[in-house]
Amino acid sequence: MISRKLLAATLIGLAFTAHGETRRTYNTNYAFDSDKPWVESEYALPAYPKQAAWLPFFVHRDYPNQAQADASTLSLGDDGVVRYVLRQTSPSGAKNDSLEGLRCRTRELKNYAFGDAVNSRWIESLKPAWRKIDTDDRVRKALHEIVCPDNWEPKSAEAAVSLLKKAAN
């Protein structure tokens, strides 16, 4: 009897040892899109908006300015970047326009240009670089929550406009 128990214990121990030494191998013959590094598409600045279709959106109850995105300039690039013109209007009526890009999946922002309303032109950003949306940047956080549901880019520019219209109501 003792020898059968000893034999069974030895076999179980060998089985665990053999199982522990198996190595998982992964098939590397497949290439997925997520394995490729992200590359931003070429982007040319659009004309300064003359007939803008401003869509206001709620930022925060403590935010004194009014934030609006121009539906006529909102686009979705092949690179997954949502580009738009943003206008922030102070309670005194001062307007601040900027042309920006938003990467939904990484929660990043890029300022392409700033608006010169007097001369109706864009002034290109000196250092256009992708950066994380700051936790204190209530406007971009709110816009990201509206346009990028669940951190995914919208299916089209029209879908992004629809999301902004829903947020305005």
Side-chain angles (χ1 to χ4, degrees), residues 31-49:
F32 298 103
D33 289 339
S34 61
D35 293 341
K36 298 175 187 172
W38 178 79
V39 177
E40 183 177 8
S41 299
E42 291 292 320
Y43 180 68
L45 297 180
Y48 195 81

PDB file of all heavy atoms in Angstrom, residues 31-49:
ATOM      1  N   ALA A  31       0.284  40.106 -38.497  1.00  0.00           N
ATOM      2  CA  ALA A  31       0.565  41.517 -38.253  1.00  0.00           C
ATOM      3  C   ALA A  31      -0.761  42.233 -38.054  1.00  0.00           C
ATOM      4  O   ALA A  31      -1.636  42.168 -38.914  1.00  0.00           O
ATOM      5  CB  ALA A  31       1.330  42.117 -39.426  1.00  0.00           C
ATOM      6  N   PHE A  32      -0.905  42.886 -36.932  1.00  0.00           N
ATOM      7  CA  PHE A  32      -2.115  43.626 -36.644  1.00  0.00           C
ATOM      8  C   PHE A  32      -1.837  45.116 -36.805  1.00  0.00           C
ATOM      9  O   PHE A  32      -0.707  45.570 -36.653  1.00  0.00           O
ATOM     10  CB  PHE A  32      -2.594  43.331 -35.216  1.00  0.00           C
ATOM     11  CG  PHE A  32      -2.951  41.894 -35.004  1.00  0.00           C
ATOM     12  CD1 PHE A  32      -2.103  41.031 -34.334  1.00  0.00           C
ATOM     13  CD2 PHE A  32      -4.142  41.393 -35.502  1.00  0.00           C
ATOM     14  CE1 PHE A  32      -2.434  39.710 -34.143  1.00  0.00           C
ATOM     15  CE2 PHE A  32      -4.485  40.068 -35.319  1.00  0.00           C
ATOM     16  CZ  PHE A  32      -3.633  39.228 -34.642  1.00  0.00           C
ATOM     17  N   ASP A  33      -2.890  45.869 -37.080  1.00  0.00           N
ATOM     18  CA  ASP A  33      -2.731  47.301 -37.237  1.00  0.00           C
ATOM     19  C   ASP A  33      -2.179  47.950 -35.977  1.00  0.00           C
ATOM     20  O   ASP A  33      -1.437  48.923 -36.041  1.00  0.00           O
ATOM     21  CB  ASP A  33      -4.059  47.967 -37.605  1.00  0.00           C
ATOM     22  CG  ASP A  33      -4.489  47.625 -39.021  1.00  0.00           C
ATOM     23  OD1 ASP A  33      -3.624  47.233 -39.824  1.00  0.00           O
ATOM     24  OD2 ASP A  33      -5.684  47.749 -39.315  1.00  0.00           O
ATOM     25  N   SER A  34      -2.543  47.427 -34.810  1.00  0.00           N
ATOM     26  CA  SER A  34      -2.089  48.022 -33.557  1.00  0.00           C
ATOM     27  C   SER A  34      -0.584  47.812 -33.340  1.00  0.00           C
ATOM     28  O   SER A  34       0.013  48.484 -32.511  1.00  0.00           O
ATOM     29  CB  SER A  34      -2.864  47.449 -32.385  1.00  0.00           C
ATOM     30  OG  SER A  34      -2.664  46.053 -32.311  1.00  0.00           O
ATOM     31  N   ASP A  35       0.020  46.879 -34.081  1.00  0.00           N
ATOM     32  CA  ASP A  35       1.451  46.650 -33.939  1.00  0.00           C
ATOM     33  C   ASP A  35       2.273  47.693 -34.674  1.00  0.00           C
ATOM     34  O   ASP A  35       3.450  47.873 -34.387  1.00  0.00           O
ATOM     35  CB  ASP A  35       1.826  45.256 -34.469  1.00  0.00           C
ATOM     36  CG  ASP A  35       1.233  44.143 -33.619  1.00  0.00           C
ATOM     37  OD1 ASP A  35       0.853  44.417 -32.470  1.00  0.00           O
ATOM     38  OD2 ASP A  35       1.149  43.009 -34.119  1.00  0.00           O
ATOM     39  N   LYS A  36       1.658  48.379 -35.626  1.00  0.00           N
ATOM     40  CA  LYS A  36       2.375  49.377 -36.408  1.00  0.00           C
ATOM     41  C   LYS A  36       2.399  50.698 -35.647  1.00  0.00           C
ATOM     42  O   LYS A  36       1.423  51.061 -35.002  1.00  0.00           O
ATOM     43  CB  LYS A  36       1.685  49.584 -37.758  1.00  0.00           C
ATOM     44  CG  LYS A  36       1.656  48.339 -38.609  1.00  0.00           C
ATOM     45  CD  LYS A  36       0.853  48.572 -39.863  1.00  0.00           C
ATOM     46  CE  LYS A  36       0.667  47.275 -40.631  1.00  0.00           C
ATOM     47  NZ  LYS A  36      -0.247  47.422 -41.751  1.00  0.00           N
ATOM     48  N   PRO A  37       3.488  51.433 -35.729  1.00  0.00           N
ATOM     49  CA  PRO A  37       3.519  52.731 -35.045  1.00  0.00           C
ATOM     50  C   PRO A  37       2.558  53.712 -35.715  1.00  0.00           C
ATOM     51  O   PRO A  37       2.379  53.695 -36.934  1.00  0.00           O
ATOM     52  CB  PRO A  37       4.968  53.186 -35.190  1.00  0.00           C
ATOM     53  CG  PRO A  37       5.512  52.411 -36.334  1.00  0.00           C
ATOM     54  CD  PRO A  37       4.738  51.128 -36.395  1.00  0.00           C
ATOM     55  N   TRP A  38       1.935  54.558 -34.908  1.00  0.00           N
ATOM     56  CA  TRP A  38       0.980  55.532 -35.419  1.00  0.00           C
ATOM     57  C   TRP A  38       1.721  56.653 -36.144  1.00  0.00           C
ATOM     58  O   TRP A  38       2.757  57.135 -35.674  1.00  0.00           O
ATOM     59  CB  TRP A  38       0.160  56.108 -34.267  1.00  0.00           C
ATOM     60  CG  TRP A  38      -0.819  57.146 -34.708  1.00  0.00           C
ATOM     61  CD1 TRP A  38      -2.022  56.922 -35.284  1.00  0.00           C
ATOM     62  CD2 TRP A  38      -0.677  58.551 -34.630  1.00  0.00           C
ATOM     63  NE1 TRP A  38      -2.649  58.112 -35.567  1.00  0.00           N
ATOM     64  CE2 TRP A  38      -1.840  59.130 -35.174  1.00  0.00           C
ATOM     65  CE3 TRP A  38       0.326  59.387 -34.161  1.00  0.00           C
ATOM     66  CZ2 TRP A  38      -2.034  60.499 -35.250  1.00  0.00           C
ATOM     67  CZ3 TRP A  38       0.125  60.757 -34.235  1.00  0.00           C
ATOM     68  CH2 TRP A  38      -1.036  61.298 -34.780  1.00  0.00           C
ATOM     69  N   VAL A  39       1.205  57.040 -37.290  1.00  0.00           N
ATOM     70  CA  VAL A  39       1.780  58.128 -38.066  1.00  0.00           C
ATOM     71  C   VAL A  39       0.667  59.119 -38.376  1.00  0.00           C
ATOM     72  O   VAL A  39      -0.396  58.738 -38.864  1.00  0.00           O
ATOM     73  CB  VAL A  39       2.409  57.604 -39.385  1.00  0.00           C
ATOM     74  CG1 VAL A  39       2.949  58.761 -40.214  1.00  0.00           C
ATOM     75  CG2 VAL A  39       3.503  56.591 -39.091  1.00  0.00           C
ATOM     76  N   GLU A  40       0.929  60.387 -38.106  1.00  0.00           N
ATOM     77  CA  GLU A  40      -0.062  61.421 -38.380  1.00  0.00           C
ATOM     78  C   GLU A  40      -0.104  61.726 -39.872  1.00  0.00           C
ATOM     79  O   GLU A  40       0.935  61.834 -40.525  1.00  0.00           O
ATOM     80  CB  GLU A  40       0.275  62.690 -37.598  1.00  0.00           C
ATOM     81  CG  GLU A  40      -0.746  63.783 -37.779  1.00  0.00           C
ATOM     82  CD  GLU A  40      -0.440  65.018 -36.953  1.00  0.00           C
ATOM     83  OE1 GLU A  40       0.645  65.100 -36.351  1.00  0.00           O
ATOM     84  OE2 GLU A  40      -1.304  65.910 -36.919  1.00  0.00           O
ATOM     85  N   SER A  41      -1.307  61.881 -40.395  1.00  0.00           N
ATOM     86  CA  SER A  41      -1.483  62.236 -41.803  1.00  0.00           C
ATOM     87  C   SER A  41      -1.090  63.692 -42.018  1.00  0.00           C
ATOM     88  O   SER A  41      -1.129  64.505 -41.093  1.00  0.00           O
ATOM     89  CB  SER A  41      -2.944  62.055 -42.231  1.00  0.00           C
ATOM     90  OG  SER A  41      -3.339  60.734 -42.078  1.00  0.00           O
ATOM     91  N   GLU A  42      -0.742  64.002 -43.255  1.00  0.00           N
ATOM     92  CA  GLU A  42      -0.462  65.394 -43.603  1.00  0.00           C
ATOM     93  C   GLU A  42      -1.735  66.204 -43.422  1.00  0.00           C
ATOM     94  O   GLU A  42      -2.829  65.741 -43.739  1.00  0.00           O
ATOM     95  CB  GLU A  42       0.016  65.497 -45.046  1.00  0.00           C
ATOM     96  CG  GLU A  42       1.391  64.908 -45.282  1.00  0.00           C
ATOM     97  CD  GLU A  42       2.492  65.703 -44.604  1.00  0.00           C
ATOM     98  OE1 GLU A  42       2.418  66.947 -44.610  1.00  0.00           O
ATOM     99  OE2 GLU A  42       3.411  65.073 -44.056  1.00  0.00           O
ATOM    100  N   TYR A  43      -1.585  67.425 -42.926  1.00  0.00           N
ATOM    101  CA  TYR A  43      -2.753  68.258 -42.672  1.00  0.00           C
ATOM    102  C   TYR A  43      -2.418  69.699 -43.037  1.00  0.00           C
ATOM    103  O   TYR A  43      -1.447  70.264 -42.530  1.00  0.00           O
ATOM    104  CB  TYR A  43      -3.162  68.159 -41.202  1.00  0.00           C
ATOM    105  CG  TYR A  43      -4.363  68.994 -40.848  1.00  0.00           C
ATOM    106  CD1 TYR A  43      -5.619  68.680 -41.354  1.00  0.00           C
ATOM    107  CD2 TYR A  43      -4.246  70.099 -40.026  1.00  0.00           C
ATOM    108  CE1 TYR A  43      -6.730  69.436 -41.035  1.00  0.00           C
ATOM    109  CE2 TYR A  43      -5.348  70.856 -39.702  1.00  0.00           C
ATOM    110  CZ  TYR A  43      -6.585  70.524 -40.209  1.00  0.00           C
ATOM    111  OH  TYR A  43      -7.682  71.275 -39.903  1.00  0.00           O
ATOM    112  N   ALA A  44      -3.213  70.258 -43.923  1.00  0.00           N
ATOM    113  CA  ALA A  44      -3.053  71.653 -44.315  1.00  0.00           C
ATOM    114  C   ALA A  44      -4.108  72.484 -43.594  1.00  0.00           C
ATOM    115  O   ALA A  44      -5.252  72.048 -43.422  1.00  0.00           O
ATOM    116  CB  ALA A  44      -3.215  71.799 -45.820  1.00  0.00           C
ATOM    117  N   LEU A  45      -3.723  73.662 -43.166  1.00  0.00           N
ATOM    118  CA  LEU A  45      -4.658  74.527 -42.462  1.00  0.00           C
ATOM    119  C   LEU A  45      -5.794  74.938 -43.396  1.00  0.00           C
ATOM    120  O   LEU A  45      -5.558  75.332 -44.534  1.00  0.00           O
ATOM    121  CB  LEU A  45      -3.951  75.789 -41.963  1.00  0.00           C
ATOM    122  CG  LEU A  45      -2.836  75.599 -40.947  1.00  0.00           C
ATOM    123  CD1 LEU A  45      -2.233  76.950 -40.563  1.00  0.00           C
ATOM    124  CD2 LEU A  45      -3.341  74.897 -39.718  1.00  0.00           C
ATOM    125  N   PRO A  46      -7.028  74.843 -42.916  1.00  0.00           N
ATOM    126  CA  PRO A  46      -8.159  75.272 -43.747  1.00  0.00           C
ATOM    127  C   PRO A  46      -8.254  76.802 -43.765  1.00  0.00           C
ATOM    128  O   PRO A  46      -7.570  77.485 -43.001  1.00  0.00           O
ATOM    129  CB  PRO A  46      -9.365  74.655 -43.023  1.00  0.00           C
ATOM    130  CG  PRO A  46      -8.944  74.610 -41.595  1.00  0.00           C
ATOM    131  CD  PRO A  46      -7.459  74.337 -41.619  1.00  0.00           C
ATOM    132  N   ALA A  47      -9.116  77.313 -44.609  1.00  0.00           N
ATOM    133  CA  ALA A  47      -9.356  78.749 -44.632  1.00  0.00           C
ATOM    134  C   ALA A  47      -9.987  79.158 -43.305  1.00  0.00           C
ATOM    135  O   ALA A  47     -10.673  78.367 -42.651  1.00  0.00           O
ATOM    136  CB  ALA A  47     -10.278  79.103 -45.790  1.00  0.00           C
ATOM    137  N   TYR A  48      -9.747  80.387 -42.931  1.00  0.00           N
ATOM    138  CA  TYR A  48     -10.328  80.897 -41.690  1.00  0.00           C
ATOM    139  C   TYR A  48     -11.844  80.915 -41.847  1.00  0.00           C
ATOM    140  O   TYR A  48     -12.362  81.394 -42.859  1.00  0.00           O
ATOM    141  CB  TYR A  48      -9.798  82.301 -41.400  1.00  0.00           C
ATOM    142  CG  TYR A  48     -10.062  82.751 -39.991  1.00  0.00           C
ATOM    143  CD1 TYR A  48      -9.243  82.334 -38.949  1.00  0.00           C
ATOM    144  CD2 TYR A  48     -11.118  83.590 -39.696  1.00  0.00           C
ATOM    145  CE1 TYR A  48      -9.480  82.739 -37.647  1.00  0.00           C
ATOM    146  CE2 TYR A  48     -11.364  84.007 -38.399  1.00  0.00           C
ATOM    147  CZ  TYR A  48     -10.538  83.582 -37.380  1.00  0.00           C
ATOM    148  OH  TYR A  48     -10.781  83.977 -36.092  1.00  0.00           O
ATOM    149  N   PRO A  49     -12.593  80.383 -40.873  1.00  0.00           N
ATOM    150  CA  PRO A  49     -14.046  80.271 -41.048  1.00  0.00           C
ATOM    151  C   PRO A  49     -14.743  81.637 -41.074  1.00  0.00           C
ATOM    152  O   PRO A  49     -14.564  82.448 -40.177  1.00  0.00           O
ATOM    153  CB  PRO A  49     -14.495  79.454 -39.833  1.00  0.00           C
ATOM    154  CG  PRO A  49     -13.421  79.637 -38.830  1.00  0.00           C
ATOM    155  CD  PRO A  49     -12.153  79.857 -39.587  1.00  0.00           C
TER     156      PRO A  49
END
